[in-house]
Amino acid sequence: MTLTFLIVLPGIMGILTVYFSPIDSIRKTEYRVLAPWAPVFLLLIITLLFSIEGWACWLMILPIFLLMASLGGLLGGHLKLKKSEKKLSVSLVVLLPFLFGPLESLVDSQPTTFVAYTYIDIKAPADKIWNQVTKVSEISLEEDKGYLTRFLGFPRPVKAELIFEGIGAYRSAIFTNGLVFHETVTEYKENQKMSFTIKANPHEIPSTTLDSHIVIGGEFFDVLNGTYELEAISNNYYRLHLSSQFQMNTTFNFYAGWWGKLIMKDIQNNILQVEKKRAEMNVK
């Protein structure tokens, strides 16, 4: 979970792969771009086979790994083809992790808060929609449309229960594999708005549920709060908004936050579709 690992390491893999390749191959630009991908995929396979790294994390870092490996390959080709002190240049490049790693460890990562916003339009009375917001009964596998989270192997939503309707109420959002979001209502207007804090206790989540780098409530990723708002569009036609705030704590929040938004939006859109379908079915 460092820039040294995310950027410098694959760059060096690319440099060394191309630099020690046959000179005839190095002269081809496509070789310098694509050959460095071989050690990247080899590393991927090894870490997955020995459970060193999870599939979800690999999917997130793979685009950057491939890009940096290709850039490293281009640099490695340049160092090999130029007529200066090649060996000295490559030696200095290989030493970069030993330089940047300790320097990066001295820089404190700054937590960054992101917002994931989603909405859906529903043709049903306000009270029918709100009933689905306050209590989401068990979601069947057929109703689950969280395609990204399913592909990544994330737990899927099962149900959510609100003990009473009002400020201070406790709501548990239950997911598969033992993941539970503990929610406390901080603002409540019936048929209009509900805001709540979200807390996931890492010690409650089985170690096999999520990759260690993306455990919710852990060192790098946490979900803070959520808000439902119901907006009237016309008679018995409403727009249900769902937003959440989450926090990333890495040295590359700009990239981790982008993935965090994709994941949170996929979860929220999944739940909104379930609520829409059930609210509209109750009208018929």
Side-chain angles (χ1 to χ4, degrees):
M1 295 295 284
T2 63
L3 284 173
T4 302
F5 175 80
L6 194 65
I7 294 177
V8 179
L9 177 62
I12 292 175
M13 291 169 66
I15 292 171
L16 296 179
T17 299
V18 173
Y19 186 83
F20 291 106
S21 295
I23 194 67
D24 290 339
S25 299
I26 295 175
R27 297 185 192 281
K28 302 174 184 177
T29 302
E30 61 270 23
Y31 179 86
R32 300 199 298 270
V33 171
L34 298 177
W37 289 16
V40 171
F41 283 112
L42 179 61
L43 179 64
L44 181 154
I45 292 169
I46 291 173
T47 54
L48 288 178
L49 284 177
F50 290 94
S51 300
I52 299 171
E53 196 58 81
W55 168 248
C57 273
W58 257 116
L59 183 65
M60 295 176 196
I61 68 173
L62 188 59
I64 291 184
F65 253 58
L66 295 178
L67 173 62
M68 296 311 301
S70 292
L71 292 176
L74 292 172
L75 178 58
H78 172 73
L79 293 175
K80 185 67 176 281
L81 294 173
K82 76 174 187 175
K83 298 179 181 180
S84 60
E85 294 293 331
K86 299 182 284 292
K87 292 184 179 179
L88 176 61
S89 300
V90 172
S91 298
L92 292 175
V93 168
V94 172
L95 291 174
L96 286 178
F98 300 97
L99 172 64
F100 286 109
L103 288 177
E104 187 176 358
S105 66
L106 297 175
V107 179
D108 292 332
S109 57
Q110 296 296 322
T112 304
T113 300
F114 298 88
V115 176
Y117 166 71
T118 51
Y119 71 88
I120 198 166
D121 294 336
I122 306 175
K123 194 172 184 180
D127 61 326
K128 298 292 185 182
I129 299 172
W130 202 248
N131 286 340
Q132 300 303 320
V133 170
T134 55
K135 184 176 181 180
V136 182
S137 56
E138 188 158 344
I139 299 171
S140 66
L141 188 59
E142 291 72 25
E143 292 178 290
D144 184 6
K145 306 298 181 184
Y147 299 111
L148 175 61
T149 47
R150 185 186 302 174
F151 180 71
L152 291 174
F154 274 62
R156 69 175 190 86
V158 176
K159 61 181 179 179
E161 300 174 347
L162 186 68
I163 59 172
F164 69 89
E165 297 180 11
I167 295 175
Y170 171 74
R171 184 175 188 258
S172 59
I174 301 171
F175 287 66
T176 55
N177 299 344
L179 176 60
V180 178
F181 288 125
H182 303 281
E183 304 171 352
T184 302
V185 177
T186 56
E187 183 178 357
Y188 188 87
K189 296 179 182 177
E190 188 174 0
N191 296 341
Q192 296 181 50
K193 184 177 182 179
M194 181 173 70
S195 296
F196 45 91
T197 59
I198 302 173
K199 179 66 176 176
N201 297 321
H203 64 273
E204 294 180 349
I205 305 171
S207 59
T208 55
T209 299
L210 293 165
D211 189 285
S212 60
H213 295 140
I214 49 177
V215 169
I216 301 170
E219 183 180 355
F220 305 109
F221 176 47
D222 198 10
V223 184
L224 305 176
N225 55 63
T227 296
Y228 275 103
E229 288 190 83
L230 192 58
E231 173 192 2
I233 298 176
S234 61
N235 186 37
N236 284 344
Y237 192 55
Y238 291 84
R239 176 164 292 174
L240 181 59
H241 305 262
L242 175 56
S243 62
S244 65
Q245 286 188 323
F246 65 94
Q247 192 174 79
M248 305 300 305
N249 188 26
T250 71
T251 54
F252 48 94
N253 287 342
F254 61 94
Y255 185 69
W258 180 78
W259 272 102
K261 280 188 178 182
L262 286 180
I263 292 168
M264 292 303 298
K265 284 185 175 182
D266 189 67
I267 294 172
Q268 291 172 194
N269 279 322
N270 188 16
I271 295 172
L272 287 175
Q273 289 182 58
V274 171
E275 293 168 339
K276 170 186 171 72
K277 180 181 178 181
R278 293 179 176 182
E280 291 180 343
M281 284 180 60
N282 287 334
V283 176
K284 298 176 182 179

